[in-house]
Amino acid sequence: FHGDGSRIERNDHHIRAVGKGDPQVFAGRAGEPGFRTGDPVVVRDMPALLYTRTPEYVRGATGEIASVAYESPAAEDETWDRPDAQPEWFYVVRFRLSDLWCGYAGPATDTLQTELPERWLEPAA
Amino acid sequence: MTEHDHDHERTIAPMVDEVTDFEVLEIALRELCIEKGIFTAEEHRRFTEFAEQIGPAPAAHLVARAWLDPDFKALALAEPMTASKEVGVDWLEPTGFGTPSDFTAFEILEDTPELHHVIVCALCSCYPRPILGNSPEWYRTPNYRRRLVRWPRQVLAEFGLNLSDDIAIRVQDSNQKHRFMVMPVRPEGTDGWDEDQLAAIVTRDCLIGVALPKPGVTSNVITDTRPAVHPVDGRNT
């Protein structure tokens, strides 16, 4: 066992992903994406105790889906290595900077894109 | 004992005067991991070699080739990791599934005369390492990460990049598995240039988006930092 990583349990993910890559190893496991490119969405303001990758600055903001990115378990589950984590769709979401920041001084065409898993999004009214 | 009992010329001086706490902990952690089989010494060597050979040259050549070849540009935008292979970067290296921290979801952001991209990782320092090398120190600072998402025009101005209001800025925060790189617009004054000439002006900073390629400029931005203000002693030093 000395110096041999073959029996380390947490290497399983790596072994599954060889030849595919990550997030490609999760392809086909999230079902139909709930949003399409161009859809207006609002970022939900969910509790984020201990860990999240959804930046505070987009909570509650309205943006639009710039692209449907890939399938993957959410970082909020992966970070704790949850074995039953269900992959979900990720989206690149585009926001106008003037919608994110009160008093944004640049032109209205300035934007910011960030990537969010489906659980954090709901359709904009 | 006389002064000739040993040869001063041949006395081996220590490489460093003292070993830092960080180095002590690095050795402790590495040796324990190897002892417990978390990874092998051979794996550690391979990762170190991987990290030492990466750099921005493949990304610069990818952009230069895209400027010269519309078909390659279309490939670069549609299938960035396939295009990466043509400049010698296989995103599945060095493990067969990519690096554990850079993932295999690469995307190239194409600038136009009306749109300029700039990348950041506000949460940490995510960066397209396999094709761009290790991130610059300033890219990892809380300062850049905090300010770029809020005041991109001011931050770019500090890098010497002043964009007029008719060019839209798009900040890309790399906060999940995608890694991004900017494909700038080919500048004026480069007619007839070959791939090597063009690649030489596509610096790392151009690929992050804090600079634009310019004929004659083949190194990264050096900013004029303002001296710190010390209100306590009233000095501007």
Side-chain angles (χ1 to χ4, degrees):
Chain A
F1 193 55
H2 184 101
D4 173 10
S6 63
R7 282 165 57 192
I8 297 293
E9 206 173 298
R10 67 195 199 105
N11 289 344
D12 284 356
H13 167 67
H14 304 174
I15 291 159
R16 275 196 301 273
V18 164
K20 300 183 184 121
D22 182 345
Q24 288 81 355
V25 66
F26 301 109
R29 292 178 52 195
E32 283 298 304
F35 301 101
R36 289 179 303 177
T37 302
D39 283 355
V41 289
V42 177
V43 181
R44 301 175 65 194
D45 194 6
M46 297 199 292
L49 188 64
L50 301 179
Y51 192 79
T52 186
R53 281 212 196 167
T54 297
E56 274 190 292
Y57 64 74
V58 296
R59 306 275 171 80
T62 302
E64 73 167 56
I65 305 289
S67 64
V68 181
Y70 51 77
E71 295 155 271
S72 170
E76 287 84 349
D77 293 333
E78 271 196 333
T79 197
W80 309 115
D81 203 16
R82 274 187 53 184
D84 57 342
Q86 174 66 34
E88 61 193 89
W89 281 97
F90 279 63
Y91 305 87
V92 175
V93 187
R94 184 178 303 159
F95 301 89
R96 290 198 301 188
L97 277 165
S98 55
D99 288 340
L100 294 183
W101 306 108
C102 182
Y104 183 73
T109 46
D110 285 357
T111 51
L112 177 144
Q113 293 185 161
T114 188
E115 200 163 87
L116 300 168
E118 191 162 308
R119 65 175 65 179
W120 279 93
L121 301 173
E122 56 191 12
Chain B
M1 184 164 148
T2 73
E3 62 183 284
H4 299 292
D5 280 343
H6 64 279
D7 183 350
H8 288 277
E9 293 281 315
R10 294 191 181 186
T11 302
I12 297 167
M15 297 283 284
V16 288
D17 287 339
E18 93 183 35
V19 179
T20 63
D21 289 356
F22 178 86
E23 288 166 309
V24 172
L25 289 171
E26 187 276 326
I27 294 164
L29 192 62
R30 171 161 45 87
E31 293 193 343
L32 272 169
C33 284
I34 291 167
E35 196 175 306
K36 291 186 177 296
I38 306 286
F39 54 76
T40 63
E42 164 67 9
E43 285 164 344
H44 187 273
R45 185 182 65 77
R46 284 182 54 214
F47 265 85
T48 306
E49 287 176 359
F50 175 81
E52 282 174 351
Q53 58 84 34
I54 53 177
H61 277 270
L62 188 151
V63 168
R65 202 172 296 180
W67 284 344
L68 292 168
D69 179 351
D71 289 341
F72 184 74
K73 181 177 174 178
L75 177 73
L77 297 174
E79 294 178 44
M81 288 185 292
T82 309
S84 298
K85 276 190 191 168
E86 299 202 18
V87 291
V89 172
D90 183 347
W91 279 77
L92 290 181
E93 285 180 4
T95 61
F97 71 96
T99 81
S101 58
D102 307 299
F103 299 99
T104 51
F106 179 45
E107 190 181 329
I108 298 172
L109 305 168
E110 184 193 13
D111 281 358
T112 70
E114 294 82 36
L115 177 64
H116 176 77
H117 292 88
V118 57
I119 64 168
V120 63
C121 171
L123 294 173
C124 46
S125 58
C126 297
Y127 192 76
R129 291 170 66 248
I131 197 161
L132 214 48
N134 290 306
S135 60
E137 186 273 340
W138 53 259
Y139 183 88
R140 308 171 203 158
T141 59
N143 183 319
Y144 180 76
R145 291 156 45 197
R146 181 176 67 84
R147 294 167 69 224
L148 188 78
V149 296
R150 172 65 179 88
W151 295 280
R153 287 179 183 270
Q154 289 83 343
V155 173
L156 293 181
E158 289 170 20
F159 279 98
L161 180 56
N162 292 285
L163 297 174
S164 66
D165 280 1
D166 51 10
I167 300 172
I169 287 180
R170 180 168 295 160
V171 179
Q172 177 71 57
D173 189 354
S174 339
N175 60 324
Q176 304 275 2
K177 290 184 178 177
H178 255 122
R179 297 292 174 267
F180 302 90
M181 162 190 127
V182 178
M183 181 188 287
V185 176
R186 180 172 173 175
E188 302 276 324
T190 58
D191 288 349
W193 285 27
D194 67 18
E195 184 180 317
D196 287 342
Q197 287 173 294
L198 291 169
I201 60 167
V202 183
T203 62
R204 177 202 70 198
D205 287 354
C206 297
L207 298 157
I208 296 172
V210 297
L212 292 177
K214 195 176 162 192
V217 179
T218 55
S219 56
N220 287 314
V221 178
I222 298 166
T223 53
D224 287 327
T225 37
R226 274 192 298 270
V229 177
H230 297 281
V232 174
D233 56 20
R235 282 183 301 125
N236 256 347
T237 53

